[in-house]
Amino acid sequence: MTKNYLEQVPVPEFNSKAKNLPKPLIEKCPGIIQKFENTYGAKPDFVARSPGRVNLIGEHIDYCDFSVLPLAIDVDMLCAVKVLDDKNPSITLTNADPNFAQRKFDLPLDGSYVTIDPSISDWSNYFKCGLHVAHSFLKRFAPERFTNAPLAGLQVFCEGDVPTGSGLSSSAAFICAVALAVVEANMGPNYHMSKQDLMRITVVAEHYVGVNNGGMDQAASVCGEEDHALYVEFKPQLKATPFKFPQLKNYEVSFVIVNTLVVSNKFETAPTNYNLRVVEVTTAANVLAATYGVVLPSEKEGSCINKGNLRDFMDIYYARYHNVSTPWNGDIETGIERLTKMLELVEESLASKKQGFSVDDVALALNCSREEFTREYLTASPVRFQVLKLYQRAKHVYSESLRVLKALKLMTTAKFTTDEDFFKQFGALMNESQASCDKLYECSCPEIDKICSIALSNGSYGSRLTGAGWGGCTVHLVPGGPNGNIEKVKKALINQFYKVKYPKITEAELEDAIIVSKPALGSC
Ligand code: NG1
Ligand code: MG
């Protein structure tokens, strides 16, 4: 089966030979080079940059291997780097933000990895995540150079304008910029890393600080393209395909990003929020598998507990009951049919326990002991819960994945008689996504709900949280261009939300709280 819904635009590679620097670097380099000089007394060798992202639709499904629709935005993280020639190499990190104090650590002389302590929350840990995945890439790529010898020592100056804890992926922007910088610093200017490699190595980087995230943020940050959104697939392989928004008659398709200014610190809340959801959806996949006699891929050989995800369940269920030998390859119509079937199975087998599953309920369903379940599912990263809401979480994941396909279809193949036609249909999907995040996944919060309702009453067609939720940013589909509603939506939010909730907010803070960004270029 071939994919017919996207013109297959390959992601352009880093264009290192181009005479002109990419636009974001032209704008931002002079400032950071000056700050580097003020700090270290010499010029940096190069600047690496990677942007934040906003997710248009497809929340909390990337770690189940379902595709998502994000785009890179023009807030980003920069690292200015000088490579040192030192027999006892170390890395010194300075951050333009005074809340992040200077850090310095040695690089092991025997070429072993720098240790990361996930039990402490320190900004240098995120640097070390990027360092670790880059180091592991270098060891595989050039074993003769990096197996027993240390990495090059570095002086680094970091500066970014992606708000942290806001759901715009400041962490991914930072880690991707760092990984690119470390590879560049150690391989030299003649080597050009591919975007595919950078994306592949960074998707798992945050696992080293204890967040079991999926790969959406890194894919978007690395592969972003000006004026394009991205369709990011995780299976059968990791891939980001850029596509353009439909051309409308009177309006531009614009997405307005509105920050609740409620900071959601994933590191602190993961045990009851992010990581718990990962446990819930993994458990749901296994309970479904046990119910329908399907064997999921196992992490450990010989383990009685399988650990595949909801995507694995869908693929293997189809192989078993519908005699299709190939897993879903991303084709829209096939995906819509299969996801609809999955939603039926969720109703059939999980709806009787809407109040949630206790550990004993799950152990019974999986035919294992309480202890086995606890050991295999609940100890990798700490989680805290009363019950596991398998029905609600699985229903969210399958219905949200279905909405992504419907959204992609609208974006790429639908014809609209009026502009409003498009805004209404795409907006409805975004609103359904928000309702599902709120009611089924329980990752919204009162500030998100308030902002969405104000925006919708003032000219937004679709309003939802973006990123992990529980605070952070929201995204709104607003007709743009000279006749559009952007100013009206902004004004309403300032008067009805920000000035009410944060009476002392300054003009500068307001300026940063609402972002209207065109899709931006990824890492460079
Ligand atoms: P944010 O909150 O923007 O970091 C997180 C995950 C994503 C994805 C979304 C929810 C990280 C680094 N990223 O995004 O992979 O799961 O939540 O869709 O944790
Ligand atoms: Mg993050």
Side-chain angles (χ1 to χ4, degrees), residues 53 55 58-63 167-169 171 206 211 213-218 266 274 467-469:
R53 64 96 186 92
N55 187 22
E59 223 59 82
H60 287 282
I61 59 173
D62 59 346
Y63 47 86
L168 300 181
S169 278
S171 52
E206 259 178 79
V211 178
N213 63 295
M216 155 168 73
D217 306 350
Q218 300 76 7
K266 224 188 263 108
Y274 198 88

Side-chain angles (χ1 to χ4, degrees), residues 92 129 133 182 281 365 435 446 475 501 504 506:
T92 307
C129 287
V133 295
V182 171
V281 293
V475 59
K501 164 103 185 145
K504 297 206 182 94
T506 63

Side-chain angles (χ1 to χ4, degrees), residues 248-446:
L248 302 182
K249 295 189 189 79
N250 301 310
Y251 298 101
E252 282 167 22
V253 177
S254 301
F255 291 94
V256 178
I257 303 163
V258 181
N259 196 336
T260 60
L261 301 178
V262 175
V263 172
S264 149
N265 181 331
K266 224 188 263 108
F267 181 80
E268 282 159 14
T269 59
T272 52
N273 293 352
Y274 198 88
N275 285 351
L276 178 57
R277 294 295 178 274
V278 178
V279 166
E280 289 178 306
V281 293
T282 313
T283 307
N286 284 275
V287 169
L288 284 167
T291 310
Y292 294 100
V294 158
V295 180
L296 296 183
S298 176
E299 268 180 5
K300 281 186 230 140
E301 206 145 334
S303 164
C304 60
I305 299 206
N306 302 303
K307 283 274 197 76
N309 58 31
L310 287 166
R311 171 74 181 265
D312 294 320
F313 172 71
M314 180 172 100
D315 285 347
I316 300 174
Y317 177 91
Y318 265 84
R320 159 119 201 232
Y321 291 103
H322 293 261
N323 244 338
V324 285
S325 55
T326 45
W328 177 46
N329 69 352
D331 170 74
I332 291 190
E333 297 308 331
T334 313
I336 289 178
E337 181 196 312
R338 293 189 187 181
L339 286 163
T340 308
K341 178 72 193 171
M342 290 302 112
L343 285 166
E344 284 170 31
L345 299 186
V346 167
E347 291 301 331
E348 191 178 277
S349 62
L350 300 176
S352 62
K353 274 208 187 309
K354 288 200 176 116
Q355 74 282 17
F357 286 65
S358 67
V359 169
D360 287 325
D361 293 334
V362 174
L364 185 69
L366 295 182
N367 193 18
C368 68
S369 70
R370 227 187 123 81
E371 292 67 34
E372 276 173 304
F373 174 70
T374 306
R375 190 183 60 232
E376 296 289 329
Y377 287 74
L378 307 178
T379 47
S381 17
V383 286
R384 289 195 306 276
F385 61 90
Q386 302 286 334
V387 285
L388 298 169
K389 296 197 179 169
L390 306 188
Y391 167 74
Q392 290 85 342
R393 310 309 187 220
K395 185 168 172 174
H396 168 78
V397 168
Y398 286 134
S399 63
E400 184 75 354
S401 306
L402 190 57
R403 281 185 286 275
V404 169
L405 296 183
K406 291 181 179 167
L408 180 67
K409 196 168 154 180
L410 274 181
M411 287 281 208
T412 54
T413 57
K415 298 266 175 290
F416 306 99
T417 20
T418 64
D419 290 0
E420 186 159 40
D421 234 21
F422 167 78
F423 286 117
K424 277 197 168 151
Q425 291 185 54
F426 198 87
L429 292 170
M430 291 176 70
N431 294 331
E432 284 167 27
S433 165
Q434 172 59 24
S436 182
C437 285
D438 178 23
K439 298 279 166 345
L440 297 176
Y441 224 67
E442 296 179 275
C443 61
S444 190
C445 70

